[in-house]
Amino acid sequence: VVADLSKEEDVEKMIQTITNNYPKVHALINNANSLTGHRELSSKEFKDWKKDMSVNIDSMFLLSNKLIKHMRNSGIKGRIINVSGYTSKTTSTLINNGSNILSKTFIDKFSDILAEENAEYNIAITTIRIDETINSGAFKHFDKIPIYGKQVKKAIDTVSGIFASDPSKIMPVFLYALK
């Protein structure tokens, strides 16, 4: 399915096509990122800002929103993983892109809000920061659904100390989180 994930009509068509072919979609991994133009916000062109926010935030909102509606309406116990990074904990544009810092901070808060709103529907939403060592913060929202408490502890113990920017090492974390 080809879609511009920053356009609501494209996302609606994409979700419709996917759910028509696979009615029980259980998972979504949001992992889009754009770093356009100048890294300093005070020097960034508005068109670059708009592109970054469209890719980094609008697409995540649209995909999550549409799929959550499908999961709720279908009674699906779903999982959404929003990929973030250490930049959500920084403020310096000397090293990091300003729009990326803000996008990653948004992702953390967005996941917090969606996790709380959807726990009663057994839809687990969390953030994984792929460029940090995995710790309990990476799975902080799965414990809102009672059946996940012990499983989350086991996953944290299993992956503790793994530097997650190596794709071959992070994949088991995604697979575990999607169980």
Side-chain angles (χ1 to χ4, degrees), residues 71-166:
M71 289 175 175
R72 282 182 175 187
N73 291 337
S74 302
I76 295 171
K77 295 178 183 179
R79 311 287 173 266
I80 297 176
I81 298 172
N82 296 318
V83 178
S84 184
Y86 78 95
T87 55
S88 68
K89 304 298 179 196
T90 66
T91 57
S92 175
T93 57
L94 294 174
I95 301 170
N96 301 299
N97 182 301
S99 57
N100 194 44
I101 294 169
L102 293 173
S103 297
K104 299 306 180 186
T105 303
F106 170 87
I107 291 168
D108 289 351
K109 292 300 180 189
F110 181 69
S111 295
D112 290 347
I113 293 167
L114 287 183
E116 185 176 316
E117 292 175 352
N118 290 284
E120 70 181 279
Y121 299 96
N122 287 314
I123 301 170
I125 296 135
T126 196
T127 301
I128 293 179
R129 290 183 199 92
I130 61 168
D131 49 10
E132 291 181 351
T133 303
I134 300 300
N135 58 38
S136 59
F139 292 95
K140 64 184 175 182
H141 301 300
F142 281 94
D143 63 355
K144 292 192 185 315
I145 298 176
I147 63 170
Y148 289 106
K150 290 179 184 173
Q151 293 174 357
V152 169
K153 174 73 171 101
K154 182 180 175 188
I156 292 164
D157 291 345
T158 302
V159 299
S160 179
I162 294 175
F163 191 73
S165 62
D166 178 346

Side-chain angles (χ1 to χ4, degrees), residues 8-36:
E8 186 172 17
E9 315 79 54
D10 283 11
V11 172
E12 284 177 354
K13 287 178 191 173
M14 183 183 78
I15 295 292
Q16 190 64 48
T17 300
I18 291 169
T19 57
N20 284 344
N21 289 301
Y22 306 97
K24 295 199 175 215
V25 176
H26 291 271
L28 169 65
I29 298 175
N30 282 311
N31 187 27
N33 195 37
S34 173
L35 302 171
T36 308

Side-chain angles (χ1 to χ4, degrees), residues 40-52:
E40 292 179 4
L41 293 177
S42 55
S43 299
K44 187 177 277 293
E45 297 291 326
F46 185 66
K47 67 177 178 53
D48 295 334
W49 167 264
K50 292 292 285 180
K51 180 178 181 198
D52 287 351

